[in-house]
Amino acid sequence: MAESIKKKIAIFGSTGSIGTQALEVINAYPDLFEVEILTAQTNDKLLVEQALKYNPNAVVIGDERKYETVKSALSSSGVKVFSGEAALEEVADFDTYDMMLAAIVGFAGLKPTLKAIENGKAVALANKETLVVAGDIVMQLALANRVPIIPVDSEHSAIFQCLVGETRNKIEKIILTASGGPFLGKKPNFLVNVKRHHALQHPNWNMGAKITVDSATLMNKGLEMIEAKWLFNLDPGQVEVIIHPQSIVHSMVQFEDGSVKAQMGLPDMKLPIQYALTFPQRVQNNNPRINFRKLDTLHFEEPDIKTFRNLSLATLALEKGGNLPCILNAANEIAVWAFLNNRIGFLDITAVVEKAMQKINYIEKPNLADYFESDGEARNFAASLIKM
Ligand code: NDP
Ligand code: MG
């Protein structure tokens, strides 16, 4: 009897920072959740470990060279094993799960998420790039299929939580908080010498490599502005960014009467992950609480957009729309990859993105095929800049 009411979760990107924390949440509520699908790209060892522990219906290993290893490690478990990019869509099309946790990093998350929506499955969305690239198509499809898209990104979870009970009330603006990352207050003469290991040290959050670099360049906040526009149906002018180094206020909503609602919590992704999985309910946990008596400051300041120009580039993409956010995202993925591999400097990331935005043809009303084409063109162009 109890079996049938468990929510069956498909974790796409289960071996990543969000994926592993989601499994911790699921582990804490065995009566509420069951793991149905797990996917990884290259980390076969962890995927096998997770599969043996959670006994899902199916797993996908993206890297086809690792198929045999995963298959033989799970041969006596009854877990179905798939591999390759197309398999992600194939399992997203399964009928057997209730909710997809979209926790793949980057553009690679788009296709399986679209498939889950087409398949009528609820989506807990961590993969912000999906909305940055094709937010219009994703949200329209979700509306047409009556599929809820519940944000996992902490800022958007905060806004989502502030909006509960406010369906009929107009939002004046939303205020996205940004920690400022490890280089808050630094100027270009410092940033020019920054290396991979500096950028990977985030003061408040422990996350995957790509989003950690995006936080250091403030591109993460830029992507989040675009993500917010689509999630909450906002005009570009209604999205504001403020630096808040303590990461306690996760974001705010200002209503027409001037009232501002904020959602607060310690910086721990397990809360927004848990909320997305249990929404509309809240469930008890014993995670550490904020002690307001020990909290001496909550500080807010304007972002330094002259130094962190990614924020201006993202604002331009937000305002112009079309395929420009897709171009920005693709060039950024290539540039961050190159920076992580010590191929370009920290400030070059912005330069690569800017040049791609200037170079690739602008399309005002792209369809899905246009997005895929723009993504490919921007990647090739960004890669050509890096080789020089
Ligand atoms: P990680 O890099 O830690 O994990 C990414 C996951 O996706 C891994 O399971 C990885 O597999 C898999 N993956 C990587 N590339 C591909 C690919 N090409 N095709 C299929 N699967 C792939 O990232 P995070 O968990 O940090 O972030 C995931 C998403 O959530 C991102 O979009 C990020 O912006 C967003 N997010 C993350 C937050 C965080 O705190 N980490 C906070 C808010 C949002 P493998 O391990 O095998 O490489
Ligand atoms: Mg965030």
Side-chain angles (χ1 to χ4, degrees), residues 128 153-155 220-221 224:
K128 64 192 81 186
D153 209 351
S154 58
E155 297 76 3
N220 183 49
K221 212 49 55 180
E224 289 182 355

Side-chain angles (χ1 to χ4, degrees), residues 83 262 317:
S83 89

Side-chain angles (χ1 to χ4, degrees), residues 157-351:
S157 174
I159 293 162
F160 189 83
Q161 292 181 54
C162 291
L163 291 175
V164 169
E166 303 279 3
T167 22
R168 285 165 187 273
N169 294 326
K170 245 176 116 186
I171 299 170
E172 198 163 77
K173 67 176 180 184
I174 60 151
I175 303 149
L176 290 175
T177 53
S179 70
F183 307 132
L184 177 60
K186 301 293 191 221
K187 295 291 170 192
N189 62 354
F190 175 92
L191 296 174
V192 73
N193 295 317
V194 154
K195 295 281 179 266
R196 172 196 156 98
H197 64 277
H198 301 121
L200 287 181
Q201 282 160 0
H202 195 279
N204 304 345
W205 303 93
N206 190 1
M207 310 175 286
K210 194 248 173 189
I211 184 176
T212 306
V213 174
D214 283 345
S215 300
T217 64
L218 287 203
M219 182 56 96
N220 183 49
K221 212 49 55 180
L223 300 178
E224 289 182 355
M225 291 170 79
I226 301 168
E227 181 187 12
K229 166 187 159 159
W230 293 118
L231 276 172
F232 306 113
N233 195 18
L234 302 169
D235 292 328
Q238 290 175 289
V239 185
E240 193 176 289
V241 170
I242 192 99
I243 302 290
H244 168 49
Q246 293 81 15
S247 299
I248 294 289
V249 174
H250 294 313
S251 279
M252 298 176 262
V253 180
Q254 183 171 308
F255 294 94
E256 273 189 313
D257 60 356
S259 176
V260 178
K261 272 186 169 180
Q263 186 267 340
M264 290 187 255
L266 291 171
D268 180 352
M269 284 308 295
K270 286 210 279 295
L271 175 55
I273 292 169
Q274 169 179 320
Y275 187 77
L277 297 185
T278 64
F279 175 79
Q281 266 171 297
R282 291 184 184 274
V283 295
Q284 197 277 335
N285 65 35
N286 293 321
N287 298 344
R289 308 301 200 227
I290 302 174
N291 181 347
F292 283 93
R293 293 181 178 184
K294 294 247 164 79
L295 203 75
D296 32 273
T297 27
L298 287 182
H299 176 76
F300 300 93
E301 67 183 53
E302 227 178 295
D304 175 2
I305 57 169
K306 284 212 175 92
T307 303
F308 295 93
R309 292 198 306 117
N310 275 347
L311 213 46
S312 309
L313 293 178
T315 304
L316 178 68
L318 171 77
E319 283 166 356
K320 274 192 84 179
N323 63 342
L324 206 53
C326 171
I327 296 166
L328 165 128
N329 177 69
N332 183 58
E333 285 192 29
I334 295 294
V336 170
W337 176 86
F339 172 74
L340 283 169
N341 286 283
N342 300 315
R343 299 275 296 275
I344 61 171
F346 187 79
L347 294 176
D348 298 331
I349 300 174
T350 307

Side-chain angles (χ1 to χ4, degrees), residues 59 64 103 131 134 150 152 200 202 215 223 227 229 237 360 365:
V59 300
E64 296 182 24
L131 288 182
I150 303 168
V152 169
L200 287 181
H202 195 279
S215 300
L223 300 178
E227 181 187 12
K229 166 187 159 159
I360 310 300
K365 291 202 184 318

